[in-house]
Amino acid sequence: MNRMNVICLGVRDMARAVRFYRDGLDFLTEETADAPEVIFFSTPGTKLELYPRDLLALDISQEAPPPLAEGFAGITLAYNAQTKEEVRQVIELARKAGARIVKEPQDAFWGGYHGYFADLDGYYWEVVWGPNFEFDAQGMLIM
């Protein structure tokens, strides 16, 4: 089971989340509706899905849906940049889209360069460059 195909984020407001990801951050999708029931983004590798948060909890269990928590859930998403400048550009794109910048771009203790933003539902994204990062032809990090 060494594969992850989709990351699904439960969102409070589909229209707002679609504006943030599709219109603000330029994530690619064939979906044209402003508030679809579900939306998938055509990212290289693992795909990103947005689905209403309350419905996602009910999909997990109708009888005992997991509680909807606030705050940090112990998980981050990452955008691996090919340059330090790209880190700064992506953080600025997120800022313009309405993200809360949690950590301005800066040197990391391990020799890289990174910043963090939180999307409109509080999901944390690290935008990061590393001196030893290598990318394939599709722009995916080689590990």
Side-chain angles (χ1 to χ4, degrees), residues 14-76:
M14 284 295 288
R16 187 175 84 148
V18 167
R19 280 193 307 274
F20 180 78
Y21 281 98
R22 184 187 66 196
D23 305 334
L25 296 183
D26 297 327
F27 275 59
L28 300 177
T29 181
E30 293 182 9
E31 180 60 63
T32 58
D34 290 332
E37 292 180 17
V38 63
I39 189 169
F40 294 90
F41 294 100
S42 299
T43 56
T46 302
K47 306 306 178 204
L48 179 65
E49 171 190 6
L50 304 179
Y51 192 70
R53 189 174 135 153
D54 55 342
L55 296 179
L56 184 58
L58 288 172
D59 189 47
I60 292 168
S61 173
Q62 289 281 323
E63 295 77 32
L68 300 176
E70 298 296 323
F72 183 59
I75 185 171
T76 63

Side-chain angles (χ1 to χ4, degrees), residues 6 9 11 30 37 39 41 43 54 56 63 70 76 78 82 84 96 100 102 105 109-110 114 118 127 134:
V6 177
L9 300 180
V11 299
E30 293 182 9
E37 292 180 17
I39 189 169
F41 294 100
T43 56
D54 55 342
L56 184 58
E63 295 77 32
E70 298 296 323
T76 63
Q82 295 187 29
K84 287 183 177 183
K96 289 178 186 170
R100 180 173 55 91
V102 179
F109 71 91
W110 50 270
H114 69 162
V127 183
E134 292 183 43

Side-chain angles (χ1 to χ4, degrees), residues 63-142:
E63 295 77 32
L68 300 176
E70 298 296 323
F72 183 59
I75 185 171
T76 63
L77 304 166
Y79 176 93
N80 297 104
Q82 295 187 29
T83 65
K84 287 183 177 183
E85 179 57 28
E86 187 180 2
V87 171
R88 291 187 288 272
Q89 290 170 351
V90 171
I91 290 290
E92 285 310 309
L93 183 66
R95 187 187 320 272
K96 289 178 186 170
R100 180 173 55 91
I101 306 306
V102 179
K103 184 184 219 179
E104 293 290 344
Q106 59 191 261
D107 292 328
F109 71 91
W110 50 270
Y113 187 76
H114 69 162
Y116 280 89
F117 70 85
D119 77 1
L120 305 178
D121 285 282
Y123 293 106
Y124 288 88
W125 283 81
E126 180 184 28
V127 183
V128 59
W129 167 85
N132 298 318
F133 284 4
E134 292 183 43
F135 295 87
D136 66 17
Q138 289 76 42
M140 297 299 295
L141 184 65
I142 299 170

